[in-house]
Amino acid sequence: MKPQNLLILMSDEHNARMMGCAGDALAQTPNLDALAARGTRFTDAYTTCPICVPARASFATGRYIHDIGYWDNSIAYDGRVPSWGHRMQQAGVRVESIGKLHYRSGEDPSGFDRQHIPMHITGGVGMIQLSIRKQFPDFVPPPRRRAAIAESAGPGESEYTRYDRRVADIAVDWLRDAATSETPWVLFVSFVTPHYPLVAPKEFFDLYPVERMPEAKFGPGSGYQPHPWLADLTAGGPPRPEDQRVAYAAYLGLISFMDAQVGRVLGALDAAGLRDTTRIIYTSDHGENAGARGIWGKSNHYQEAVAVPMIVAGPNVPAGKLSATPASLADAYPSVLDCAGLPAEAGIPGRSLFELATKTDDRDRIVFSEYHAAASPSASYMIRKGRFKFIYYVRFAPELFDLEADPAESENLAARPEYAATVRELEAELRRILDPEEQDRRANEAQRLLIESKGGPDAVMANLPTKKLYTPVPPELLS
């Protein structure tokens, strides 16, 4: 196709169902709704890994986590594997980023001509303590209560909301200046909200009266019994009901705040006269449990954490379309190449989202995700095919859900005899992609070597680069 401009908008930790256009009765997202109305929304899109750093490395390279070896939030993208940014540079296409990258360092060759206020992992190692899983049997890590995310929620400003306003400011200026560009470009604008801390500016928090917030899905009193693999994620118990409601309101408020920043950027694109020559991708790196099963954060393969919003718009993109073809963050790489008029690359699993948007639905397209990071006793893998989702846990019993009959994932069908053939089929699909036990071993070994290089788990815990539950914004990026 003829080369076109491409604007990529990424948020952080946006639950795919929490948009007005996705049918959420509470979420107020007018700008994303308008984008979906003039483009195509993929109703079943997934992250390749439900945690920030690996997902972003996969998004950049178009490859699965086990293929590139960026296993967790301390083993971050360093330019070692070519990205779509590198391909743009080789083709002479201007390519820049604004906002969160979550790579190892701004000094690494990441594939951008320029990084504007880039946010990377802290000190090149990030939250290294989260690489300690079960590799050190004699080490007992201090408890990490997920409920703390909800307990600190409320109205106000945080370093994340201040940072995202700066991201939008710079993007608005960048697009105004791009109005006179005579050659195509790629701009990656990456926000950090609605990722916790769950502190939402008051005007957005007040959109969601706390007393009207729903109870947590599979919360206290529901009778839900968590899968044994979730033991570390659910340790310490769920938030108190009142904290859960405040947290839910704050999370929705952050979604609306992020939507407003997206609206500012899209408004600048239109003001610059670039709408008719620019394609757009909106997505997020992963989802958010939002209290479901007693968990705030991500780090599992249930829909809340692993599904992501995915909207494409622009020239030759079907307007107002809902595509039921399963999609993935791995599809971003070929999508960027497609916009630049470059041929697809052999050996990567994705397809151009702009191509998929024009095709009839392919419900049997396989989407794959994996997890080797924080609070996991072993690797978790997901296969989505048709109506079924299969979750394979190394050393634990699997789960199988019929997402058409049971979108809430309330009934595990894996042990029922009538679904034995489905389990065998989906496990065979998984093993065509990778050896799950071998990749679990590789991840644990890489993490063990990293921790030992820093003096072992006790030394790591004594010398943490940050004690926050999230990556802090360097102060110089806020001024």
Side-chain angles (χ1 to χ4, degrees):
M1 59 168 279
K2 181 181 177 181
Q4 296 180 334
N5 303 324
L6 175 61
L7 173 63
I8 303 172
L9 300 165
M10 177 176 272
S11 61
D12 196 308
E13 204 152 312
H14 185 185
N15 184 303
R17 300 304 174 218
M18 292 189 183
M19 296 187 292
C21 59
D24 191 287
L26 294 173
Q28 298 183 41
T29 53
N31 296 292
L32 291 175
D33 297 349
L35 185 66
R38 68 180 182 93
T40 295
R41 182 171 68 86
F42 290 87
T43 59
D44 291 300
Y46 293 89
T47 183
T48 46
C49 181
I51 199 168
C52 299
V53 171
R56 289 167 179 270
S58 179
F59 180 82
T61 63
R63 299 182 181 275
Y64 294 139
I65 308 307
H66 67 274
D67 186 31
I68 55 180
Y70 301 107
W71 300 106
D72 64 22
N73 273 10
S74 285
I75 305 177
Y77 184 63
D78 53 5
R80 169 175 51 84
V81 181
S83 68
W84 48 257
H86 292 114
R87 288 294 308 275
M88 295 303 100
Q89 289 179 321
Q90 292 165 6
V93 177
R94 181 186 181 191
V95 54
E96 299 187 18
S97 72
I98 305 171
K100 178 176 179 177
L101 289 173
H102 234 186
Y103 296 167
R104 186 180 67 173
S105 167
E107 305 303 314
D108 291 326
S110 61
F112 292 109
D113 299 339
R114 183 178 178 187
Q115 300 176 13
H116 301 262
I117 60 168
M119 181 175 158
H120 295 292
I121 64 172
T122 304
V125 295
M127 301 177 74
I128 190 171
Q129 70 273 27
L130 303 185
S131 294
I132 305 170
R133 293 160 68 204
K134 304 297 181 183
Q135 309 98 331
F136 304 93
D138 296 331
F139 175 75
V140 180
R144 182 172 184 259
R145 295 177 59 252
R146 293 272 169 159
I149 295 173
E151 291 168 356
S152 61
E157 295 287 344
S158 74
E159 59 191 284
Y160 275 13
T161 54
R162 293 194 296 271
Y163 178 69
D164 273 0
R165 285 193 175 94
R166 282 213 68 205
V167 170
D169 288 344
I170 295 170
V172 166
D173 291 343
W174 196 100
L175 290 167
R176 181 196 61 226
D177 294 343
T180 58
S181 176
E182 297 181 357
T183 57
W185 45 260
V186 175
L187 178 64
F188 179 37
V189 179
S190 183
F191 298 106
V192 71
T193 53
H195 191 292
Y196 54 85
L198 299 178
V199 178
K202 190 174 187 302
E203 65 179 294
F204 296 100
F205 182 88
D206 287 348
L207 294 174
Y208 303 100
V210 171
E211 66 276 10
R212 299 181 189 174
M213 294 300 100
E215 294 183 0
K217 175 181 172 181
F218 301 131
S222 67
Y224 170 76
Q225 294 296 316
H227 189 285
W229 187 89
L230 295 173
D232 287 351
L233 277 174
T234 55
R240 297 179 303 168
E242 54 268 38
D243 291 334
Q244 167 66 24
R245 287 191 291 271
V246 172
Y248 204 89
Y251 180 64
L252 284 171
L254 286 172
I255 290 174
S256 291
F257 166 80
M258 177 272 297
D259 178 84
Q261 308 317 305
V262 167
R264 293 178 60 204
V265 176
L266 294 178
L269 184 79
D270 289 351
L274 294 168
R275 177 186 280 219
D276 293 339
T277 55
T278 304
R279 285 185 164 183
I280 300 166
I281 299 173
Y282 170 73
T283 192
S284 194
D285 53 357
H286 49 74
E288 163 61 68
N289 291 292
R293 301 173 183 82
I295 305 169
W296 277 90
K298 47 277 184 183
S299 305
N300 63 69
H301 278 120
Y302 299 118
Q303 289 292 97
E304 290 82 11
V306 75
V308 295
M310 186 74 77
I311 301 170
V312 295
N316 303 315
V317 176
K321 179 178 179 179
L322 299 179
S323 174
T325 299
S328 164
L329 291 188
D331 295 322
Y333 187 105
S335 301
V336 178
L337 268 58
D338 187 7
C339 277
L342 299 176
E345 187 173 301
I348 61 172
R351 291 176 60 189
S352 169
L353 294 163
F354 299 106
E355 175 195 353
L356 292 175
T358 65
K359 305 294 184 183
T360 56
D361 290 348
D362 178 7
R363 297 287 294 154
D364 287 332
R365 185 186 186 218
I366 291 174
V367 168
F368 167 76
S369 181
E370 61 190 300
Y371 187 77
H372 308 270
S376 61
S378 64
S380 170
Y381 305 95
M382 184 206 80
I383 290 285
R384 173 70 195 271
K385 182 180 182 183
R387 65 191 301 155
F388 291 105
K389 180 205 276 189
F390 177 63
I391 305 176
Y392 182 92
Y393 303 102
V394 172
R395 299 190 301 278
F396 290 82
E399 293 186 292
L400 176 71
F401 298 104
D402 182 341
L403 293 181
E404 292 185 9
D406 178 28
E409 299 171 290
S410 62
E411 184 179 8
N412 178 15
L413 307 173
R416 290 173 53 169
E418 62 267 39
Y419 291 95
T422 301
V423 169
R424 287 195 299 271
E425 175 194 351
L426 295 179
E427 183 172 343
E429 295 283 8
L430 172 67
R431 292 185 179 277
R432 274 191 275 273
I433 295 172
L434 84 174
D435 178 333
E437 284 71 26
E438 171 59 17
Q439 299 306 327
D440 178 59
R441 184 200 66 76
R442 287 186 62 228
N444 275 280
E445 178 66 4
Q447 292 159 335
R448 182 186 67 79
L449 292 173
L450 173 63
I451 297 301
E452 289 181 346
S453 75
K454 303 298 181 182
D458 289 303
V460 163
M461 297 306 299
N463 298 284
L464 296 179
T466 177
K467 294 184 183 296
K468 292 184 177 181
L469 296 175
Y470 54 89
T471 301
V473 181
E476 64 269 20
L477 301 187
L478 296 175
S479 59

